[in-house]
Each structure stands twice: as structure tokens, then as C-alpha cells.
Amino acid sequence: MPSLKDLKNRIASVKATQKITKAMQMVAAAKLRRAQEAAEAARPYSQRMASVMSNIAEAVGSGDDTPRLMAGTGKDDTHLLVVCTAERGMCGGFNSQIARFARDRVRSLLAEGKTVKILCVGKKGYDILRREYAALIIDRVDFREVKQMSFGQAETIADKVIGLFEEGGFDVCTLFYSEFKSVISQVPTAQQLIPAAAGAAKTDASASAIYDYEPDAEEILADLLPRSIKVQIFRALLENVAGEMGAKMSAMDNATRNAGEMIDKLSMSYNRQRQAQITKELIEIISGAEAL
């Protein structure tokens, strides 16, 4: 049984931890609103970009002039998985959910006899995946020094992916991230980047519209396709930031509550042991007095 001093020290330690988790919860709550607004603002632009790409791709068709980023290599042998996670932990199962989702895809592709390559964006995803698939990881992008995610970070990742594709490094590229739904809900998502999906949903008005392009559609696609990939990656990074802050806020709230419950239990144990010690001393005094 721990002594009174040990219990007192442990109570003080848990109270200090509770202050830290409460502070981290408040910081995450402050960052969450800005991150959520950024993620929600990026969604309409990303969706509209996909719709424009779909319209132009339909006009181009599947001829020899179709850009390789849209037509692909014609094969499905080598897959590149771009796994986006957070740089830091303390956010519950946020990172492990994305890594588990990507790991399931890796196992499925390997079972089909495909070649798999992994590009890790974020330290936590790299730490998780390298335990089992270190040989498949070809590169890692680290944003630990970045305070606020910008389009420049998305460009860095997109340039690596496009450069690798032009070198013949893969046939299909899939982006893994977590879509922000709410503070307690972040959904792991997989999105194909290359070949660029041309089947985006259209509104009734755009479905029957006929467009003329100047310059021609092939030239427009050659410029828009890399930008579209960057936009999709940027949206994924923003969704991840919002999801990370929401998960961290929820995790730190649970940690603060658990610390409070632990303090109550330790305090009760401390009071009981202290009362027993006082009672024992009183009995010894009374017994000594009666003996006299």
C-alpha cells in the first residue's frame, strides 16, 4: 500500500497533468475554428475544379492527344499511395485510422500482385507504416516547422507526385486523408489523383451545356490537370488540419475528465488512509492512558 506521501505526490502529479491537458484542449479549440473554416472554404473550389475538369475531359474524349495525367499509362501494375497524417500525436486515433485505412489498401493491392509505393506526408503516418512496410516507403514529406498550411505545401507534394509519374514511377496514384465532419467525426478517405477522374458529378444545367474552348481543350487540360492535383492535395491537407484539431480537442477533453476522476479516487484513498492512521494513533493513546 502506498504511503501518504506517495499518494500526495501522485495527486499533485495528476493535477499538473490535468492543467496541461486542459490547456491543450483550449488551444485546440481555438485553432479548430480557423481550420474548420479553411477546410469548408476549400470544398466548393475543389468540387468546382473537378466539375470543370470533367466538362473539358468530356469534350476531349479519349484520343491520342489526351494528357497522360488524365489518360494514365494504360496499365494498373504500380500504385503510389500518398498517405497524409498529422505531424504530432495527442489526438486520439486520428492518425492510426488513416494509417490503418492505407494499410488495408496496401494489403489488398499486394494480394492482387500489384507493386506498391508509399509517399508519407506527416511524421505520424510514417512512424506507423514503416513498422510493417518500411521497404515500400519511397519518400517522406515533413511539415513540422510549418505553422499554417498553405498552397505552397500542396505544390511541393504535387510536384513530387507528378515528377515521379513522368519518370514512369507508377501507374495509379491514390491520396489518403481524413475528411472533417465534426469534432467527434473524421472519416478516412481515399481519392484517386492519377489518372485524374473524369466522372465528376454535374448539375442539370451543366449536363446539357455545350462549350467552345479557346485555346483548344487539350491545351487547357495540360495546364489545369497539374493545378487540379495541387488543389485536391491542398484540400486534403486542410481537411487533415481541421480533423487533427477536432480529434485533439476531444482527446484532451477526455484526458482532463479522466485526470479528474483519478484525482477523486486518489483523494479518497488518501483520506481513508489518513483517517485510519489517525484512528490508530488515538487507539494507541487511549490504550496507553488506560494502562497507567
Side-chain angles (χ1 to χ4, degrees), residues 68-258:
R68 289 184 73 246
L69 287 176
M70 177 165 285
T73 62
K75 298 184 294 183
D76 186 28
D77 299 331
T78 305
H79 288 251
L80 175 67
L81 308 186
V82 182
V83 184
C84 300
T85 56
E87 295 290 346
R88 299 171 181 83
M90 309 290 283
C91 50
F94 175 79
N95 294 308
S96 60
Q97 287 177 353
I98 302 173
R100 188 184 307 116
F101 189 44
R103 191 165 54 217
D104 291 343
R105 179 66 63 87
V106 171
R107 289 172 179 167
S108 175
L109 291 172
L110 292 177
E112 295 174 6
K114 309 293 184 182
T115 301
V116 178
K117 299 179 180 179
I118 302 175
L119 170 61
C120 292
V121 180
K123 179 178 182 296
K124 289 301 177 180
Y126 172 77
D127 290 342
I128 296 173
L129 291 174
R130 71 174 178 175
R131 300 169 190 166
E132 190 173 353
Y133 299 113
L136 303 181
I137 299 176
I138 61 171
D139 202 355
R140 168 188 169 189
V141 181
D142 193 336
F143 293 138
R144 277 182 291 180
E145 304 300 326
V146 176
K147 294 184 178 180
Q148 186 172 353
M149 204 63 68
S150 67
F151 194 72
Q153 282 78 48
E155 285 185 315
T156 300
I157 301 169
D159 290 342
K160 285 180 178 289
V161 172
I162 295 173
L164 188 60
F165 178 71
E166 291 175 349
E167 295 171 0
F170 63 88
D171 302 315
V172 180
C173 175
T174 306
L175 177 67
F176 290 83
Y177 65 98
S178 185
E179 184 176 1
F180 177 81
K181 295 294 185 181
S182 66
V183 175
I184 59 174
S185 177
Q186 300 87 34
V187 182
T189 304
Q191 179 180 355
Q192 181 174 307
L193 291 180
I194 300 174
K202 303 179 185 179
T203 61
D204 293 339
S206 65
S208 59
I210 299 176
Y211 297 93
D212 288 328
Y213 299 99
E214 180 66 31
D216 58 15
E218 290 85 356
E219 190 173 343
I220 296 175
L221 272 179
D223 181 69
L224 281 186
L225 277 169
R227 180 173 292 273
S228 175
I229 292 173
K230 295 173 184 178
V231 168
Q232 302 305 328
I233 293 176
F234 184 47
R235 178 195 171 184
L237 294 178
L238 293 179
E239 294 278 356
N240 261 12
V241 172
E244 178 192 357
M245 291 300 108
K248 181 171 291 187
M249 179 181 170
S250 179
M252 292 301 100
D253 180 53
N254 290 334
T256 302
R257 292 182 183 180
N258 291 338

